[in-house]
Amino acid sequence: MTKITGATKVAGVVGHPVAHTLSPTLHNAWLAAAGIDGVYVPFNVFPEHFASFINGLRGGSLSGLNVTVPFKTVALTLADEVSERARLAQAANVLVFGPEGTVFADNTDGLGLLAAFAIQAPGFDPAAAPVAILGAGGAARGAAAAFLSAGATDIRIINRTVARAREIAADLGPTVSAHGLDQAGRAFAGVGALINATSAGLSGSGSLDVPIAATPATCVVMDMVYKPLLTPFLAQARALGRPTVDGLEMLIGQAIPAFRAFFGQAPPDGIDVRALAIQALGL
Ligand code: NAP
């Protein structure tokens, strides 16, 4: 445990609930390894108090916060300045408090997603082939925005409620198209990546029934859900011989730029936060 001093820099994660979050495990391990006088703590805030909680932190008593469910959208509306990627995702997972009282909103989930592909599917080129994204919530929108920024020219959003997929396509432009879940097989034709950005597959929730076999043999299959680490979706992809990328690598990938924003330096090398996270998940 980091020694707390009068000069300790404080950052954290805000959500409701928040007890399940792995972010304190990652950030505090990096802080300890780097010998930084800092600490990262969870804040469980009731939704009706979220705005006053954030506004009360103006002035820099905290250096910054990660934002998780259910506050990613509302966090954006409380910020004075919003990064382009957070604007495109219509969600913030990072808030940074300036000493002069400002709040800056950013979204590092897309960076985390691309970093996860770079690590677990080396050689994957996000611009080389169409991309299929399952889901139309904030995570799917952020993934589409990230792939758009990385040069993808054909992004297919596939969702149970097709109207939500159409909204994303209308907002992000002509390279993004909308499809119903019943059309998934057709939308999988020729894709270089298939991403599950639905919450199906989370421990205790329903599973996703889509024809992964309709993707090309080289298609990289990714699941944002990381509990369980090997979701039924990824297990099915592996059984078909598809290369896979998991949601834990994305979580670590989004935490790296967040750490830099909160503590002013990159996380130290040489600490296996993935192993620590797997231990914390009890996997
Ligand atoms: P959200 O806004 O609640 O959206 C959930 C999406 O899942 C909707 O499109 C919903 O479809 C769909 N869905 C839920 N259950 C389904 C089922 N049984 N069959 C088909 N579709 C189903 O959630 P979100 O914020 O976008 O997050 C989505 C997932 O990504 C969550 O599991 C979250 O934990 C994960 N995530 C992971 C990371 C990471 O770092 N690994 C980062 C961000 C998010 P409808 O529109 O039809 O309801």
Side-chain angles (χ1 to χ4, degrees), residues 4-266:
I4 307 289
T5 73
T8 298
K9 228 178 200 187
V10 184
V13 53
V14 58
H16 183 75
V18 81
H20 63 281
T21 179
L22 286 177
S23 295
T25 302
L26 305 179
H27 286 270
N28 287 313
W30 283 326
L31 286 168
I36 295 172
D37 186 7
V39 67
Y40 183 101
V41 287
F43 295 97
N44 184 6
V45 173
F46 283 87
E48 59 272 32
H49 299 305
F50 181 71
S52 49
F53 173 75
I54 296 299
N55 286 323
L57 294 169
R58 284 178 183 274
S61 44
L62 250 65
S63 56
L65 284 173
N66 277 121
V67 182
T68 188
V69 178
F71 300 128
K72 286 189 178 187
T73 305
V74 65
L76 204 63
T77 67
L78 298 171
D80 305 294
E81 201 190 333
V82 172
S83 71
E84 175 66 2
R85 55 191 181 222
R87 188 189 66 75
L88 284 173
Q90 283 185 17
N93 75 321
V94 168
L95 295 177
V96 177
F97 299 99
E100 63 295 337
T102 54
V103 179
F104 171 69
D106 197 4
N107 193 317
T108 63
D109 279 341
L111 294 177
L113 176 64
L114 295 173
F117 270 82
I119 291 168
Q120 295 190 339
F124 171 77
D125 176 359
V131 179
I133 300 172
L134 297 163
R141 184 183 284 268
F147 270 83
L148 205 55
S149 310
T153 54
D154 180 352
I155 299 169
R156 304 166 186 176
I157 309 279
I158 302 152
N159 197 42
R160 186 174 57 183
T161 311
V162 72
R164 295 187 74 198
R166 286 200 189 104
E167 270 176 45
I168 298 179
D171 288 349
L172 294 185
T175 51
V176 182
S177 56
H179 310 261
L181 206 51
D182 52 338
Q183 298 297 310
R186 228 186 299 162
F188 289 173
V191 296
L194 167 61
I195 298 164
N196 177 27
T198 75
S199 38
L202 270 175
S203 300
S205 76
S207 67
L208 202 57
D209 185 22
V210 289
I212 299 175
T215 61
T218 52
C219 172
V220 179
V221 178
M222 192 269 170
D223 199 337
M224 289 198 189
V225 171
Y226 56 81
K227 193 170 184 181
L229 193 55
L230 182 63
T231 61
F233 183 73
L234 286 188
Q236 206 188 327
R238 278 196 193 167
L240 288 165
R242 303 292 185 273
T244 59
V245 173
D246 66 48
L248 181 56
E249 208 55 52
M250 175 177 172
L251 183 83
I252 295 167
Q254 64 73 36
I256 291 170
F259 184 91
R260 215 179 283 123
F262 301 152
F263 300 108
Q265 63 187 78

